[in-house]
Amino acid sequence: MHPVLKLVAQRVALGLLLLLAVSAVIFLGVEALPGDTAQAILGQSATPQALANLREKMGLDQPALIRYFHWLGGILTGDLGKALTNGQDIAQAIGQRLGNTLFLAACAGVISVPLAILLGLVAARYNGRWPDKLISGITLSTISLPEFVAAYFVIYLLTQLIPIFNPVAMVFPGMGFWERLHAVALPVIVLVLVVLAHMMRMTRAAILNVMQSAYIETAELKGLSPMQVIWRHAFPNAIAPIVSVVVLNLAYLVVGVVVVEVVFGYNALGQYLVDHVSKRDLPVVQAVGMIFAAVYIGLNILADVIAIVANPRLRHPR
Amino acid sequence: MPEPLLDIRNLRIEATSYPPGEPPRHVVLVDDVSVSVEKGKVLGLIGESGAGKSTIGLSAMSFGRGGVRLTAGQILLNGRDIRTAPVSELRKLRGSEVTYVAQSAAAAFNPARKLMEQVIETSLAHGVMPKAEAEARARSLFRQLGLPNPDTFGDRYPHQVSGGQLQRAMTAMALCPKPDLVIFDEPTTALDVTTQIDVLAAIKRAIHETGVAALYITHDLAVVAQVADDILVLRHGKKVEYGTTDHIINRPEQAYTQALVSVRSIEHEEKPAAKPVLTVANVTARYRGTHFDVLKNVSVDVAPGQTLAIVGESGSGKSTLARAITGLLPPTSGRITFDGRDLSRDLAGRTKDDLRELQMIYQMADVAMNPRQTIGTIIGRPLEFYFGLRGEAKRKRIQELLDQIEMGKGFESRYPAELSGGQKQRVCIARALAAKPKLIICDEVTSALDPLVADGILKLLLELQAQQQVAYLFITHDLATVKAIADKIAVMFKGEVRRYGSKTDVLTPPFDDYTDLLLSSVPEMRLGWLEEVLAHRKMESAGN
């Protein structure tokens, strides 16, 4: 087998193993909480008899190990159980919100990743001169603002001063693509501002690190322009560190944006999770936890795979 | 007289250095150097490290590394002064009129791009020729330079070919855009001797066939004597002597040039065989997790006060043998006897006396010392550790050792960074001697040093050996060094000892094929040596 395929297969297998371990941790964590689902439904004043009946009905009297595998089997077949608070099918409720989450993350990613890398390249090109300082200054100040401050600032600017967007990012099923894009414009802008600096700084640092190499001098002595040197000779050797930071930020865009969702009233997964944590709706918390873990691990596997494929020594062994 | 292609007049090059904790210092790297190269001629630039040879070489592209500035004089390339030309104009001539071949091709090629892309890059970037033509030219250069499978060679990545091949590929890269001038910056220094001779021959042939002019920078006068028409000898950034190759090699006028030509002045009488202090018997070793023996049935010994030289190219197992003897790589079979007792295979099983009596000196003196310790602390450490010396007794012994390495007073409070390369290596020798060892393993100890400095270190080692009857296991790839100091020689190739015996026996014909190849590849300081060797080899291969 080609060594790259072997390495990729290894990474994917390790990722699946890790996901299994995470599922156990999530399950155990919820187990360790005082009380259980039956208690949560019936409340503090329930009689022991009623509790026992409900537990039997829900299968909660089974040993933890059996319930774990039952739950795991459910996840694998797409059955995440029912929410306690409203009896809704969790898979269905999550499905739509996950779509919204991914749409928002994708829009922010499509804008921020190329922009951050471009700014990083420009900053590296003018290392220590004014364009570098300007880019670093602006991106560092946007990352330093708390998300909600940035959000209110953007709302004030783009709905009051220049009223071109709606302050509330309402989306509903059946909405057209452009309509939807217009609706999420403000949260996307805020998220771009938040993740830009980290990726830009890392791109700049990775490029500057590679610029110390002897082959960069070779490229300079070939009479190439500074931007050609960076793009053709430095960037291909800086992909691995850049990708790992990009992926970290993409994962953040999926799992960490609840504040932005709340500010803009955007109906997505983060808000759904926080709602159900406060209501002690444990099946929902477990299900969303697993989804977030899967996204995180999946993206990191992707970063590993890109780093492997980008390395010519692994791609073309001697 | 034809107008020279490159005419450097009264060039002055300066830089600002920033030593830690001190105010910035202004240094003059090159002062008042004038030199010229005609079309199709080769000029050799020669000198020690720090003599300014690379700096002058790069000035032919009006390029200064780091903060290096070309401050005065003229650099006339094809009649126009490029010293003061703007960067946009320089970019046009770099890579098209003048090209550069770096010392370490392995580092100078971009690991992420195929060789062909990099070789034709300048031709395309400067619009010298269309892609198809550039590729065809690259393939014909690959063929001319003797690279294997020239038609597909360019499809490979740098890590897929050997160091000698990369060096030739770099030469092809420099010649591809049909430049007027190529700068060769120590192109064969990082190669083994048997590879060096092939690359040298390929470069010489390519220069001759393309009619390009060249600057050939090296510290090895014997090498430059084979390729250059004229030679400029440099020292501390100043001209020492400038003349034809014949003049410099055969009738040098300046004392410094004479010293360079006659380097390796050491005469060492071979000592008679004696009872060995170290015996390595049938040692076989492999690295953990591999299925390949890096040492195969190696048997050698060395007597007190004598030197066993281990010679071989990179990958021959010389350093691995040192690791096996010191216990860093436990052998899978065989015995190592030291001073009459069996040595434990691994380090953990050795006594403090085993460790003390067997010391090492390394190639890179600067990384073998803690940069944050003073010389006194560095030399004093084994005194404390092995002999429990403290205070005045320790101080006295440190001074004694410093006297032995001819470094005198005032050095114990200084830091490694303040010393020159030769001085650092002397400190490492003193540290090894501090343990009063019976055997010192010297691993390429002079390889990183300039010839004259290396000569001093070898003389010191021989004097110390005569005084203290310490045995040396001297690992090197440099046959000239071996001839100078060895009593016994073991020639290693692919983990085996190919030839072993007293110096006279090993260096007297008839030779086995490998030893013959190795010995005949060492450049000799006379004109026409390269052609003689190549003609001889051609005749032999035709005879077979």
Side-chain angles (χ1 to χ4, degrees):
Chain A
M1 195 156 75
H2 195 279
V4 166
L5 274 178
K6 199 172 152 191
L7 274 170
V8 170
Q10 262 175 9
R11 286 293 194 286
V12 173
L14 268 175
L16 291 177
L17 207 65
L18 193 60
L19 202 54
L20 193 69
V22 169
S23 75
V25 170
I26 290 179
F27 187 82
L28 283 176
V30 173
E31 275 301 294
L33 292 175
D36 61 0
T37 310
Q39 183 93 55
I41 292 173
L42 295 178
Q44 293 293 333
S45 55
T47 61
Q49 186 57 42
L51 274 174
N53 283 343
L54 187 60
R55 281 187 181 134
E56 198 178 358
K57 198 176 135 208
M58 297 180 74
L60 293 176
D61 53 341
Q62 306 275 338
L65 201 64
I66 291 184
R67 279 184 287 122
Y68 170 65
F69 281 111
H70 190 241
W71 174 66
L72 199 63
I75 291 176
L76 292 178
T77 53
D79 174 16
L80 300 176
K82 288 199 173 14
L84 301 179
T85 35
N86 51 12
Q88 237 186 0
D89 184 59
I90 298 177
Q92 215 176 1
I94 284 180
Q96 193 203 347
R97 290 181 171 87
L98 181 62
N100 288 347
T101 291
L102 292 180
F103 182 73
L104 183 63
C107 290
V110 161
I111 296 171
S112 63
V113 172
L115 186 63
I117 290 177
L118 185 73
L119 289 176
L121 295 180
V122 172
R125 158 73 178 83
Y126 295 100
N127 179 23
R129 314 226 306 258
W130 70 263
D132 179 25
K133 288 179 180 155
L134 185 72
I135 292 171
S136 290
I138 291 177
T139 53
L140 283 178
S141 42
T142 62
I143 204 181
S144 311
L145 283 180
E147 285 165 39
F148 62 91
V149 176
Y152 288 132
F153 178 73
V154 169
I155 290 175
Y156 177 68
L157 192 72
L158 294 179
T159 67
Q160 304 301 313
L161 287 184
I162 317 162
I164 45 174
F165 293 117
N166 288 325
V168 178
M170 286 280 276
V171 287
F172 45 85
M175 217 174 175
F177 177 74
W178 294 110
E179 232 180 315
R180 199 176 270 265
L181 215 53
H182 186 261
V184 299
L186 288 186
V188 164
I189 291 171
V190 172
L191 289 178
V192 166
L193 291 179
V194 169
V195 296
L196 203 57
H198 192 195
M199 291 190 281
M200 188 289 287
R201 300 286 296 179
M202 192 64 212
T203 304
R204 175 180 176 277
I207 296 280
L208 288 179
N209 187 29
V210 172
M211 293 296 275
Q212 309 291 325
S213 314
Y215 53 82
I216 296 299
E217 188 182 275
T218 308
E220 284 170 0
L221 290 176
K222 281 177 168 179
L224 303 179
S225 71
M227 221 50 211
Q228 279 175 320
V229 171
I230 289 177
W231 181 245
R232 282 199 228 165
H233 291 277
F235 185 64
N237 291 292
I239 286 178
I242 293 175
V243 165
S244 66
V245 166
V246 164
V247 157
L248 220 57
N249 282 283
L250 290 182
Y252 169 79
L253 287 177
V254 175
V255 306
V257 295
V258 63
V259 172
V260 175
E261 286 175 19
V262 170
V263 171
F264 291 98
Y266 189 69
N267 186 18
L269 222 46
Q271 214 174 347
Y272 181 67
L273 174 66
V274 172
D275 278 353
H276 287 80
V277 166
S278 60
K279 291 176 191 159
R280 292 180 58 89
D281 195 335
L282 299 181
V284 172
V285 175
Q286 283 180 329
V288 177
M290 274 309 284
I291 288 174
F292 281 178
V295 166
Y296 220 91
I297 292 171
L299 282 171
N300 275 294
I301 291 176
L302 184 71
D304 278 2
V305 169
I306 292 176
I308 290 169
V309 172
N311 184 344
R313 282 170 199 275
L314 295 174
R315 205 166 63 230
H316 304 276
R318 290 190 83 111
Chain B
M1 190 178 150
E3 184 178 302
L5 173 70
L6 174 73
D7 194 3
I8 292 177
R9 294 181 190 164
N10 311 102
L11 181 63
R12 183 180 171 88
I13 301 179
E14 295 172 67
T16 312
S17 72
Y18 299 88
E22 283 173 53
R25 208 164 21 198
H26 200 68
V27 281
V28 177
L29 299 176
V30 172
D31 191 18
D32 195 24
V33 167
S34 301
V35 76
S36 69
V37 189
E38 283 166 38
K39 277 199 170 64
K41 294 282 186 188
V42 179
L43 169 73
L45 294 178
I46 176 143
E48 302 173 10
S49 49
K53 1 182 241 303
S54 288
T55 314
I56 293 176
L58 286 170
S59 76
M61 300 171 106
S62 200
F63 183 87
R65 279 195 181 120
V68 169
R69 298 180 308 277
L70 316 173
T71 44
Q74 286 179 303
I75 305 167
L76 299 172
L77 181 73
N78 280 323
R80 65 172 193 253
D81 190 358
I82 60 168
R83 185 179 73 80
T84 50
V87 178
S88 57
E89 204 166 302
L90 293 176
R91 234 172 250 151
K92 281 182 210 147
L93 73 92
R94 287 175 188 160
S96 63
E97 280 176 66
V98 190
T99 56
Y100 181 74
V101 177
Q103 171 172 3
S104 169
F109 270 107
N110 186 336
R113 297 206 167 262
K114 287 182 181 173
L115 289 168
M116 181 58 92
E117 279 181 66
Q118 304 191 49
V119 168
I120 64 169
E121 187 174 15
T122 37
S123 305
L124 304 188
H126 294 288
V128 179
M129 56 186 100
K131 189 172 177 198
E133 196 186 326
E135 285 183 351
R137 179 167 164 82
R139 279 192 288 270
S140 89
L141 283 167
F142 291 155
R143 189 169 295 115
Q144 212 174 5
L145 287 157
L147 285 164
N149 309 319
D151 290 330
T152 54
F153 182 80
D155 298 336
R156 308 217 210 159
Y157 283 86
H159 70 272
Q160 293 176 302
V161 306
S162 73
Q165 290 170 359
L166 269 186
Q167 206 69 50
R168 278 178 272 182
M170 185 123 201
T171 307
M173 182 156 90
L175 291 171
C176 191
K178 300 186 178 170
D180 297 330
L181 178 71
V182 182
I183 303 161
F184 291 95
D185 194 351
E186 305 251 14
T188 63
T189 306
L191 304 174
D192 283 320
V193 273
T194 54
T195 317
Q196 164 171 284
I197 190 169
D198 292 337
V199 174
L200 205 56
I203 288 176
K204 185 168 185 179
R205 198 167 352 106
I207 290 175
H208 184 71
E209 285 171 11
T210 53
V212 73
L215 283 181
Y216 198 100
I217 299 162
T218 177
H219 67 275
D220 190 341
L221 196 49
V223 165
V224 83
Q226 310 311 317
V227 291
D229 298 298
D230 295 313
I231 293 177
L232 170 66
V233 182
L234 291 158
R235 190 178 198 196
H236 305 318
K238 293 201 175 81
K239 181 188 90 173
V240 175
E241 199 162 357
Y242 178 33
T244 63
T245 304
D246 175 51
H247 176 91
I248 297 285
I249 300 291
N250 297 325
R251 295 180 301 280
E253 282 164 18
Q254 300 297 321
Y256 179 70
T257 317
Q258 284 161 1
L260 277 184
V261 171
S262 65
V263 80
R264 299 278 177 260
S265 53
I266 299 171
E267 291 291 325
H268 174 64
E269 198 113 324
E270 184 186 315
K271 298 184 204 84
K275 190 169 171 293
V277 58
L278 172 84
T279 309
V280 176
N282 306 102
V283 162
T284 298
R286 65 174 57 173
Y287 285 102
R288 262 176 58 170
T290 62
H291 307 282
F292 175 76
D293 288 331
V294 281
L295 288 179
K296 293 170 202 155
N297 216 12
V298 172
S299 300
V300 290
D301 59 59
V302 58
Q306 299 201 6
T307 301
L308 167 66
I310 311 280
V311 205
E313 303 185 15
S314 46
S316 62
K318 332 184 272 296
S319 292
T320 312
L321 179 60
R323 290 175 67 85
I325 294 170
T326 49
L328 291 171
L329 178 70
T332 47
S333 67
R335 269 173 71 174
I336 299 172
T337 324
F338 186 64
D339 204 20
R341 58 185 192 269
D342 271 348
L343 278 186
S344 156
R345 274 161 202 245
D346 56 347
L347 206 54
R350 298 201 174 173
T351 65
K352 207 167 175 178
D353 262 351
D354 290 343
L355 301 180
R356 179 180 66 77
E357 293 182 345
L358 216 166
Q359 292 290 315
M360 274 203 79
I361 310 173
Y362 301 89
Q363 175 174 1
M364 297 299 195
D366 20 353
V367 294
M369 290 189 281
N370 186 336
R372 293 183 177 274
Q373 289 183 344
T374 61
I375 303 305
T377 314
I378 290 169
I379 301 178
R381 175 68 190 144
L383 298 177
E384 283 171 35
F385 181 72
Y386 291 121
F387 305 109
L389 288 188
R390 295 271 186 278
E392 185 59 19
K394 186 173 99 178
R395 210 194 52 73
K396 245 179 92 182
R397 179 83 179 110
I398 291 174
Q399 192 51 53
E400 225 174 272
L401 286 162
L402 282 172
D403 288 342
Q404 280 178 2
I405 57 169
E406 297 157 13
M407 277 179 49
K409 283 200 196 317
F411 274 100
E412 67 242 60
S413 57
R414 295 173 70 174
Y415 287 90
E418 300 171 55
L419 306 187
S420 72
Q423 286 172 328
K424 283 181 208 164
Q425 198 57 285
R426 281 169 193 260
V427 172
C428 288
I429 293 173
R431 177 173 61 181
L433 286 178
K436 296 195 176 157
K438 293 206 162 90
L439 174 77
I440 300 181
I441 298 178
C442 307
D443 192 353
E444 301 272 11
V445 289
T446 55
S447 304
L449 301 174
D450 290 314
L452 293 177
V453 179
D455 216 41
I457 294 284
L458 293 179
K459 276 183 186 145
L460 174 69
L461 282 171
L462 287 177
E463 277 169 32
L464 292 169
Q465 184 173 54
Q467 285 166 19
Q468 312 194 1
Q469 289 302 301
V470 58
Y472 293 139
L473 190 96
F474 203 95
I475 296 168
T476 180
H477 69 276
D478 181 4
L479 284 149
T481 307
V482 170
K483 285 177 190 166
I485 66 157
D487 298 296
K488 281 174 114 173
I489 300 177
V491 179
M492 288 192 71
F493 183 64
K494 292 189 177 165
E496 288 173 47
V497 174
R498 274 296 167 93
R499 194 175 168 91
Y500 173 58
S502 69
K503 176 163 75 173
T504 327
D505 289 349
V506 168
L507 296 181
T508 310
F511 299 121
D512 58 295
D513 287 352
Y514 179 70
T515 308
D516 186 36
L517 178 71
L518 200 61
L519 289 176
S520 67
S521 297
V522 180
E524 288 172 27
M525 209 165 307
R526 58 192 168 83
L527 276 64
W529 164 82
L530 183 63
E531 282 69 23
E532 269 172 44
V533 177
L534 294 177
H536 182 70
R537 285 189 186 172
K538 211 169 176 181
M539 232 162 62
E540 274 195 345
S541 65
N544 286 338

